[in-house]
Amino acid sequence: MQRRTRVAAALTAAAGLFTVAACGGDDETSGGGGGEDGGRGDITIWYSNNEAEVAWGQQMVEAWNAENPDEQIEAQEIPAGASSEEVIGAAITAGNAPCLIFNTAPVAVPDFERQGGLVSLSSFDDGENYVEERSGDIAEQYRSPGGEYFQLPWKSNPVMIFYNKDMFAAAGLDPENPPLGTYDEFLATARTLVSSGAAPKAIWPAPTSEFFQNWFDFYPLYAAETGGTALVEDGAATFTDDAGLGVAEFWKTLYDEGLASREAYQGDSFADAQAAMAIVGPWAISVYGENVNWGAVPVPTSAGTPAEETYTFSDAKNIGLYTACENQATAWDVLKFATSEEQDGLLLEMTGQMPVRQDLPGTYPDYFSANPAYEAFGDQAARTVEVPNVPNAVAVWQTLRDAWSQSVIFGEGDVEESLQGAADEIDGLAGQS
């Protein structure tokens, strides 16, 4: 199963909980305070159940505990549930969330904040400076509408086009310099792959209706085409511009010509050689390993943007500090320790995921020199777009997905009218407080 499918199932299960939590909470409640007087002592943390992240988390905890006998960390994997987001939301409601969770989805943050579950990192004396000095300009995308940071940008998996070099060669295409830079080149390549019999489908993004699926078809290409525009800016949807409509028509052509499938694939279409391309992040390198002779290039744009200027979707997971925590001063110190240059380097080495840190290639040159497969992703990590930090974030994405599915994937109705209708609805959702 593809990583994004596992994440997708988790986020879908959480969507209903977000709605209930947002509607059921006090409208006046938002994230909590905190700060330097938040108490010191032992804390609890949760991290992902991903094997590599567990190993990283265990060594981080051991390193901290060895130096801080009076402020110990008790760590565990996120408890089992339909999704991590559902478990976190329930813990906030019950008042028993841990101090830190190293698996906080940016799309969930507005609802967690509205529940009163998150401490403002800006309330710490060095909070804003730490976030911004570590992550640079990208940090601004994670600032909440009220102007504060309720999440620390932690790690990203910037998505690119993976392609099967053997399939490209079989189709008579150059496997080392594939013609994929522009929409026209990409479409011509897709037609060649399928018509030659080299691949059943050129690319096979999930055609299903979950709200997050547009993160792996529409959004990376929209980010690239616009040079880094988010789905919602200043409370209004952006995607009905020429760039958004161009991305929609590109994908519609792939579906209409049978180059992408309207049927859901049970498994990993790229790993199973049922599709010649996939939109994935650096996590895929270890997954595909030696099983697929793969290459990676940036997502296409209409005119062909140079790789060093191309934006994409971040696919990030972040760290939240939760209001149920009694020893918030200790938790803040642990958060900074866990995202120090040393620990970020270990995260990179142990998981292959990109710390959201300025000048990643320049900070860890030895790693990228020794692991050239990750170089393009390290460079790409500096140019990413996150899901917008707006009210009703899940509903915003579901509204887009419903319109996209109907008009782009299944060809029902006019694309421009469908997307405009979604944009009008999203303006209302994102404008709510």
Side-chain angles (χ1 to χ4, degrees), residues 393-425:
V394 171
V396 163
W397 284 101
Q398 189 65 65
T399 299
L400 173 62
R401 189 61 181 178
D402 291 345
W404 180 272
S405 296
Q406 179 181 16
S407 61
V408 175
I409 297 176
F410 297 108
E412 299 173 3
D414 180 76
V415 170
E416 184 171 0
E417 289 180 4
S418 181
L419 294 185
Q420 184 60 59
D424 292 342
E425 185 174 345

Side-chain angles (χ1 to χ4, degrees), residues 369-407:
S369 177
N371 298 275
Y374 290 88
E375 280 186 305
F377 293 96
D379 178 69
Q380 183 68 78
R383 297 177 306 282
T384 57
V385 175
E386 187 50 78
V387 298
N389 193 326
V390 296
N392 305 302
V394 171
V396 163
W397 284 101
Q398 189 65 65
T399 299
L400 173 62
R401 189 61 181 178
D402 291 345
W404 180 272
S405 296
Q406 179 181 16
S407 61

Side-chain angles (χ1 to χ4, degrees), residues 233-253:
E233 294 192 349
D234 299 322
T238 61
F239 56 85
T240 55
D241 57 3
D242 289 344
L245 295 175
V247 173
E249 290 296 339
F250 167 80
W251 280 108
K252 187 175 187 300
T253 300

Side-chain angles (χ1 to χ4, degrees), residues 123-139:
S123 67
F124 295 93
D125 287 347
D126 59 343
E128 297 233 350
N129 284 340
Y130 183 78
V131 172
E132 293 169 0
E133 287 178 7
R134 176 176 175 271
S135 298
D137 293 341
I138 284 178

Side-chain angles (χ1 to χ4, degrees), residues 13 74 112 118 139 149 152 183 222 231 252 256 266 272 276 282 300 325-326 360 365 428 430:
E74 180 180 341
F112 291 166
L118 288 168
Y149 290 111
L152 181 119
Y183 295 164
Y222 185 63
L231 188 80
K252 187 175 187 300
D256 287 350
Q266 301 303 314
D272 295 343
C325 179
E326 293 183 0
L360 207 54

Side-chain angles (χ1 to χ4, degrees), residues 335-354:
L335 189 157
K336 290 185 290 184
F337 174 81
T339 56
S340 64
E341 184 173 320
E342 178 182 2
Q343 286 296 328
D344 277 349
L346 289 168
L347 179 75
L348 180 62
E349 291 176 12
M350 298 176 74
T351 72
Q353 299 180 65
M354 304 292 124

